[in-house]
Amino acid sequence: MLKRKISDFLVDTGIITKDQLSEAIERSSGDDVERQLVDLGYISEAEIAKNFAKQLNLGYVDLAGYDINPQAAALISNEHIRRYNVIPINLKDDYLVVAMADPTNIFAIDDLHVMTGFDITPVVTGETDLINAINKFCTNDDVVEEAIESISEDFADIAARSGEERDAEEAPVVKLVKLIVTEAVRERASDIFIEPQEYDLRVRYRIDGVLHEIMRSPKQIQAGIISRIKIMSGMDIAERRLPQDGRFGLVIDKRPIDFRVASLPTIYGEQLILRVLEKESISMNLDDLGFLSEDLKRFKESFTKPYGAILITGPTGSGKTTTLYGVLNLINSDASNLITVEDPVEYRLHGINQVQVNAKTGLTFASALRSILRQDPDIVMIGEIRDEETATIAVESALTGHLVLSTLHTNGAPAALTRLVEMGIEPFLVSTAVDCIVAQRLARKLCTKCREQFVPTEPELKGAGFVIDGNEPKVLYRARGCKSCGETGYHGRIGLYEVMRMSETIERLLVGDVTAEQIAKVAATEGMSTLHQDGLAKVKLGWTSIEEVERVTMK
């Protein structure tokens, strides 16, 4: 009944129309009308909360940017915060200010009054912001302490000697590992590093491309944590001398998450690196990755052709696979036979035949490609071109009527051409087969809640690489830091791109003995923007900062 009243209030105040409400009601299961309105794009979650507060004559709080008083938050246990879906945010005289998504829950308010002894002042906030704040402040420090206290030296010795599964299944270790991976997902980490040190165990998260130390634990719990993760990912816990690979999946906050695990023996024990793979991100659209309109147009023209090779280049962790999946999502159709060969298969894509490389059984990129070409594919995606044999098959496939997508490790787009020639591919074959090369990097995006505007000086603009011609930016943004972005000044990442299409001039150059620098000069005259120039364009738009572009690119 309450939900319908909020919806009616939105209609009465003209924020949504009756037709929009009717559509949301038809899509809803009876108690999620507001969620449907948000999903349909008719209103934001924050607007619903603001109008709910207005309707009840209460205050509204944007928790994403609010500095929560830790003394207030500590007055209610984690258990009750989660049970009542509330979080105390401030103390004012005899009043405890509590943020709620549903402040009409008088039973929760009465119980909190009895538990704390304070009069409760409810304020309204968005449900997603509330969940994020609860997840952030309800840290399971007790779990860490319990694990440290419960795992004795005897346990560590037993786990180190026998590696028995039952040792790693002890409850404190299970809880601690769950805490590490859950908090990583909630903090938007792309990787988790479990790193044995001489006297302790270090845990770090890579967030927006930068590593942050999260915790250090006593050395005695190292064996338990590593054994638990190896069991979860299907590794041999008795083998500690050789690297291993594995993976496991969890549902965290109702989102399916995959973890790809790699172990590496070090002098202080096995280091584990967990790559966090969120399945929802496979539906990523190219328009969301940060391409500027002209580069995106040039790129799309290449993969809408029925044949030719398209290469994505860049270092490890630069988002090459995400870009490839973005292309696959666009070109995948029932009319095409699309086959991929990957190492490993990071995401499962609906309607696409995916092959997992397995070197132990002899299933390499080259051997898989030879078999794939007998399956009459229209489009082939190769995870990475690593050797001459794979490169030869890829080039020949592009020349015989197939659209080939792949990645290569080079510093820039022009260098990909010379790299293929160095692998042993004839220059005239490379020039004919390759249609487009995209080099990319990932730069951190400025936090929109706290980014700071400033007027750059002429020396600052020149130092950054801007041309002083009257079109230089008059105002730019820089990182500042707030609660929403963890005081880093950045939130999320955006791609920087260098899109090079093959032309007759570049083809003729390649057949001769040329360098990547010579090819780059010609490509620039034909309209290619370098990674640094693309970064400066995004600085000008306020998407990132000069410092971040300089960190990830070369002028």
Side-chain angles (χ1 to χ4, degrees):
M1 189 67 185
L2 171 65
K3 294 285 184 184
R4 186 58 192 271
K5 286 182 179 178
I6 303 170
S7 304
D8 288 341
F9 180 77
L10 296 174
V11 173
D12 293 340
T13 52
I15 294 166
I16 62 171
T17 66
K18 289 183 179 180
D19 289 341
Q20 290 171 339
L21 176 58
S22 298
E23 184 181 355
I25 291 173
E26 287 178 9
R27 287 168 54 108
S28 75
S29 58
D31 59 351
D32 63 341
V33 177
E34 278 68 44
R35 171 50 51 193
Q36 295 301 327
L37 286 168
V38 172
D39 292 343
L40 287 166
Y42 296 144
I43 191 172
S44 70
E45 199 173 80
E47 288 176 308
I48 290 176
K50 288 176 184 177
N51 281 280
F52 192 16
K54 186 186 296 184
Q55 181 190 23
L56 299 175
N57 199 27
L58 294 175
Y60 165 79
V61 169
D62 177 8
L63 278 184
Y66 192 88
D67 191 6
I68 296 175
N69 184 337
Q71 290 182 329
L75 288 173
I76 302 176
S77 68
N78 292 353
E79 178 187 353
H80 288 101
I81 284 176
R82 292 193 183 278
R83 178 188 299 174
Y84 295 123
N85 201 31
V86 301
I87 186 162
I89 61 172
N90 208 356
L91 274 170
K92 292 183 178 179
D93 299 325
D94 293 331
Y95 292 91
L96 179 64
V97 182
V98 177
M100 312 174 71
D102 179 13
T104 63
N105 186 348
I106 57 174
F107 300 106
I109 293 173
D110 287 345
D111 286 353
L112 296 178
H113 170 65
V114 171
M115 282 187 287
T116 64
F118 287 92
D119 290 330
I120 306 299
T121 300
V123 292
V124 186
T125 190
E127 189 168 0
T128 300
D129 286 344
L130 178 61
I131 291 170
N132 291 339
I134 289 174
N135 289 336
K136 181 177 180 180
F137 276 87
C138 289
T139 53
N140 297 314
D141 291 338
D142 317 346
V143 175
V144 180
E145 291 177 9
E146 181 187 359
I148 293 170
E149 291 172 2
S150 301
I151 305 174
S152 64
E153 287 285 355
D154 291 338
F155 168 81
D157 291 339
I158 292 171
R161 286 197 306 271
S162 66
E164 294 181 7
E165 183 170 331
R166 59 185 172 81
D167 293 323
E169 291 292 347
E170 291 294 322
V173 178
V174 174
K175 291 180 181 178
L176 183 54
V177 170
K178 185 177 180 181
L179 168 67
I180 291 170
V181 298
T182 300
E183 290 302 311
V185 172
R186 290 170 178 167
E187 293 291 331
R188 303 177 298 104
S190 59
D191 301 274
I192 306 169
F193 289 73
I194 311 293
E195 301 170 308
Q197 306 294 298
E198 186 175 4
Y199 300 111
D200 56 15
L201 180 72
R202 180 172 67 176
V203 179
R204 294 192 292 172
Y205 295 163
R206 188 184 296 280
I207 302 172
D208 294 335
V210 178
L211 282 168
H212 300 269
E213 184 174 314
I214 302 304
M215 60 179 281
R216 282 183 179 263
S217 300
K219 192 73 173 176
Q220 62 263 32
I221 71 172
Q222 174 180 309
I225 290 175
I226 292 172
S227 293
R228 172 61 184 167
I229 295 174
K230 289 176 72 174
I231 290 167
M232 292 171 68
S233 50
M235 295 182 184
D236 180 0
I237 62 173
E239 179 56 76
R240 301 182 185 87
R241 299 164 299 175
L242 297 173
Q244 296 185 67
D245 294 305
R247 67 187 301 153
F248 64 92
L250 293 174
V251 176
I252 297 175
D253 297 335
K254 299 181 181 179
R255 293 149 55 200
I257 308 291
D258 278 349
F259 296 88
R260 194 179 80 204
V261 186
S263 72
L264 180 69
T266 71
I267 58 173
Y268 297 124
E270 287 180 282
Q271 172 180 282
L272 297 180
I273 299 179
L274 289 72
R275 170 65 59 88
V276 183
L277 305 170
E278 189 165 359
K279 294 183 179 180
E280 290 179 0
S281 64
I282 64 171
S283 60
M284 180 68 73
N285 192 299
L286 280 180
D287 297 320
D288 302 326
L289 298 182
F291 281 96
L292 296 178
S293 58
E294 188 58 35
D295 282 341
L296 185 58
K297 180 184 176 183
R298 287 157 61 91
F299 188 28
K300 283 185 175 180
E301 285 173 356
S302 65
F303 61 74
T304 50
K305 293 183 177 181
Y307 57 86
I310 298 170
L311 302 176
I312 313 295
T313 78
T316 302
S318 60
K320 300 187 297 297
T321 302
T322 301
T323 301
L324 279 181
Y325 281 134
V327 174
L328 293 179
N329 280 325
L330 272 180
I331 63 180
N332 184 24
S333 71
D334 293 335
S336 300
N337 180 14
L338 202 164
I339 305 178
T340 76
V341 51
E342 306 169 62
D343 182 23
V345 175
E346 292 192 354
Y347 300 109
R348 273 65 170 175
L349 297 175
H350 178 71
I352 294 177
N353 304 297
Q354 295 176 271
V355 178
Q356 168 78 53
V357 167
N358 188 340
K360 292 180 181 178
T361 62
L363 183 61
T364 62
F365 278 111
S367 62
L369 279 172
R370 284 194 295 270
S371 298
I372 283 172
L373 295 177
R374 293 194 288 270
Q375 304 292 322
D376 190 27
D378 299 297
I379 304 165
V380 178
M381 193 271 268
I382 308 166
E384 183 184 344
I385 294 177
R386 297 178 178 174
D387 50 53
E388 181 182 351
E389 188 177 6
T390 306
T392 300
I393 298 173
V395 167
E396 290 176 351
S397 302
L399 291 171
T400 54
H402 302 89
L403 181 62
V404 178
L405 310 173
S406 189
T407 70
L408 202 62
H409 285 266
T410 63
N411 287 327
L417 296 175
T418 54
R419 176 78 180 109
L420 289 174
V421 173
E422 290 167 0
M423 281 184 172
I425 311 301
E426 291 292 341
F428 72 91
L429 292 177
V430 175
S431 64
T432 307
V434 176
D435 187 73
C436 180
I437 303 170
V438 178
Q440 67 178 77
R441 299 290 188 277
L442 289 177
R444 291 180 294 173
K445 292 171 64 177
L446 285 169
C447 174
T448 55
K449 293 183 180 293
C450 69
R451 64 179 184 175
E452 187 175 66
Q453 197 177 72
F454 74 102
V455 178
T457 64
E458 187 171 310
E460 285 177 324
L461 291 172
K462 285 183 177 179
F466 284 103
V467 178
I468 308 301
D469 58 359
N471 294 318
E472 68 273 9
K474 307 304 178 188
V475 174
L476 292 177
Y477 291 89
R478 58 190 170 202
R480 190 178 67 183
C482 66
K483 292 290 182 181
S484 180
C485 61
E487 303 297 341
T488 64
Y490 299 94
H491 190 280
R493 289 193 286 178
I494 193 168
L496 307 184
Y497 300 97
E498 185 175 276
V499 181
M500 188 182 84
R501 294 290 305 278
M502 288 296 288
S503 65
E504 291 183 9
T505 307
I506 295 176
E507 287 179 16
R508 285 195 298 270
L509 270 178
L510 188 60
V511 173
D513 186 16
V514 295
T515 63
E517 288 75 17
Q518 290 172 302
I519 296 173
K521 288 179 181 177
V522 173
T525 63
E526 295 178 347
M528 182 191 80
S529 296
T530 65
L531 288 165
H532 190 77
Q533 289 168 341
D534 188 60
L536 292 182
K538 286 159 186 174
V539 168
K540 199 171 180 179
L541 291 169
W543 295 355
T544 188
S545 66
I546 291 174
E547 294 77 14
E548 186 63 11
V549 170
E550 290 179 345
R551 184 180 71 86
V552 299
T553 69
M554 296 182 294
K555 294 182 184 178

